[in-house]
Amino acid sequence: MINTSLALTYLYLLIYILLSSGVILYNKWVLSPKYFNFPFPITLTMVHMGFSGLVAFFLVRVFKVVSPVKMTFEIYVTCVIPISAFFASSLWFGNTAYLHISVAFIQMLKALMPVATFLMAVVCGTDKLRCDVFLNMVLVSVGVVISSFGEIHFNIVGTLYQVTGIFAEALRLVLTQVLLQKKGLNLNPITSLYYIAPCSFVFLFIPWYMLEQPQTDISRIQFNFWIFFSNAVCALALNFSIFLVIGRTGAVTIRVAGVLKDWILIALSTVIFPESTITGLNIIGYAVALLGVVMYNYLKVKDVRSSQPATPERISDRAAKDWKFEKKPSDIYVPNDNDGKIGGSSGANNVTSEKMVDEEAPLISSSRLSHIGRTQV
């Protein structure tokens, strides 16, 4: 007898892995001079943000699928604008990296995400510098360095773009945790896109006007409406698939799925893009980095479990909250005594938000994710 709920969970995981891998490979194909030859990453990112913001507007204002949150001018200026700025920066730098380095090497560099998030959390005061976690971060960094030495087509410009994008995303996640949760806001994927996508579009317009607009000679640009439309739809669908996966699985399952996706993506990229060559040193370095990430994830999950004992009352309360969220998404979340405090060193909020991040998704609210056990973007 097949468990329908379990089968549905695995189906969501499969959809997430396929969409995430597909969007990354699609972006590489569109941007690469060897294929579709649209070397304008800021323009492509603006297409994603514009489309996502437009869809969110119709869902919130026209079809009223969800209600907008009680957004004040003060919250918008102090929270939404800085978060949108770093979100736009992470997408801009991450997509620009596709012009210079391979998809496989980009995925290896993304192993630095826990390192960047941990460092930003320590700087912002949402996490404490611990010896065991620090040693894991050193192990991850050493693995990435080894993998970089093994990269045949190593490009310093592309590597700097990717690493800068990773740190921008890490800072965006920490700011989301500090700013939005401190205000008691809980944005679901639709309301996140509704508020943040248009603001990110505006921030992207500035570098686009300075860097890409002078180069956009219409006679040289291959513009295919269906390619850009399908690319934006895939990016938007990825955002919602992440939300579905998070609602049905735990932290460990999502982490394992993310690691599996990275390996699949590295393997697929070498087949689809023949110029992506993987060396033995690449694999050794990535394996070392992955070992550090796995150990780090284990420590974080262990911290969450130790700080939140699984009492019957807690389980029933959590189940009731999750059921209520699935039935009617709550736009305002007011922390109670059982939830961690921002800026403290205990509870779920001590676990930084790098767990479920997909750099290709338009946006997923980390305030909601930390509430259901998330420990990223």
Side-chain angles (χ1 to χ4, degrees):
M1 189 74 178
I2 299 177
N3 188 318
T4 305
S5 179
L6 184 63
L8 195 59
T9 298
Y10 283 118
L11 176 62
Y12 287 159
L13 284 170
L14 178 61
I15 292 173
Y16 156 68
I17 292 174
L18 291 177
L19 281 174
S20 179
S21 303
V23 169
I24 292 173
L25 295 172
Y26 203 168
N27 284 351
K28 173 66 175 180
W29 181 81
V30 170
L31 294 170
S32 177
K34 295 183 178 180
Y35 299 96
F36 186 71
N37 190 24
F38 186 81
F40 301 108
I42 306 177
T43 305
L44 183 65
T45 307
M46 289 176 68
V47 170
H48 289 179
M49 291 295 96
F51 179 78
S52 298
L54 185 63
V55 171
F57 174 82
F58 276 97
L59 292 177
V60 173
R61 292 298 182 183
V62 179
F63 300 107
K64 300 187 184 301
V65 176
V66 296
S67 300
V69 303
K70 297 177 181 178
M71 181 70 67
T72 65
F73 179 77
E74 185 265 338
I75 292 178
Y76 191 86
V77 171
T78 59
C79 297
V80 174
I81 289 180
I83 289 171
S84 300
F86 285 105
F87 182 58
S89 299
S90 68
L91 293 176
W92 166 22
F93 292 127
N95 283 336
T96 305
Y98 289 119
L99 297 175
H100 305 281
I101 53 180
S102 67
V103 171
F105 186 50
I106 286 176
Q107 293 307 119
M108 295 176 187
L109 289 175
K110 285 175 185 175
L112 286 173
M113 191 67 211
V115 178
T117 309
F118 175 69
L119 291 177
M120 293 298 102
V122 171
V123 171
C124 294
T126 62
D127 207 346
K128 289 186 176 180
L129 187 61
R130 293 165 41 186
C131 183
D132 54 353
V133 176
F134 179 75
L135 290 177
N136 283 338
M137 299 300 97
V138 172
L139 184 62
V140 172
S141 302
V142 169
V144 172
V145 170
I146 294 174
S147 181
S148 300
F149 273 110
E151 177 64 18
I152 294 178
H153 305 293
F154 180 80
N155 184 289
I156 186 64
V157 175
T159 302
L160 288 176
Y161 268 118
Q162 182 59 41
V163 173
T164 304
I166 289 172
F167 275 88
E169 176 65 4
L171 187 53
R172 193 273 297 182
L173 290 167
V174 174
L175 286 178
T176 301
Q177 185 184 25
V178 172
L179 298 177
L180 287 184
Q181 288 186 353
K182 189 175 182 180
K183 301 293 184 180
L185 284 177
N186 178 31
L187 302 178
N188 59 48
I190 297 176
T191 52
S192 295
L193 291 171
Y194 177 74
Y195 290 107
I196 295 180
C199 191
S200 297
F201 182 92
V202 173
F203 276 107
L204 288 167
F205 180 82
I206 299 172
W208 173 82
Y209 185 80
M210 297 175 62
L211 300 176
E212 292 189 0
Q213 191 273 338
Q215 304 177 35
T216 53
D217 181 359
I218 301 300
S219 63
R220 294 188 298 107
I221 294 178
Q222 297 186 61
F223 183 82
N224 186 308
F225 171 80
W226 292 111
I227 286 182
F228 287 100
F229 176 74
S230 60
N231 184 264
V233 168
C234 289
L236 184 64
L238 174 59
N239 185 75
F240 293 119
S241 74
I242 294 174
F243 181 68
L244 291 175
V245 169
I246 291 170
R248 301 188 65 90
T249 60
V252 177
T253 304
I254 295 175
R255 289 173 183 271
V256 172
V259 172
L260 178 62
K261 181 212 66 170
D262 289 341
W263 282 109
I264 292 176
L265 190 53
I266 290 173
L268 280 176
S269 67
T270 60
V271 175
I272 297 175
F273 306 111
E275 68 275 10
S276 287
T277 306
I278 299 179
T279 65
L281 202 55
N282 276 145
I283 297 175
I284 293 173
Y286 186 59
V288 172
L290 195 60
L291 176 62
V293 172
V294 170
M295 293 172 62
Y296 172 74
N297 291 342
Y298 171 76
L299 288 174
K300 287 303 180 181
V301 172
K302 186 179 178 181
D303 288 344
V304 173
R305 289 176 177 173
S306 62
S307 62
Q308 296 184 346
T311 61
E313 293 155 1
R314 177 173 294 279
I315 292 175
S316 62
D317 290 345
R318 182 65 64 190
K321 286 179 182 178
D322 288 343
W323 179 85
K324 183 178 179 181
F325 181 84
E326 293 300 329
K327 300 297 283 185
K328 183 179 180 181
S330 173
D331 290 320
I332 302 294
Y333 167 60
V334 181
N336 56 34
D337 293 338
N338 290 332
D339 293 305
K341 304 293 184 183
I342 296 298
S345 59
S346 64
N349 290 330
N350 188 38
V351 183
T352 51
S353 312
E354 78 284 355
K355 182 193 67 134
M356 187 56 193
V357 170
D358 201 299
E359 66 292 336
E360 304 303 327
L363 185 66
I364 194 79
S365 173
S366 64
S367 58
R368 165 62 188 161
L369 303 189
S370 63
H371 175 48
I372 62 175
R374 181 186 183 213
T375 57
Q376 312 139 284
V377 354

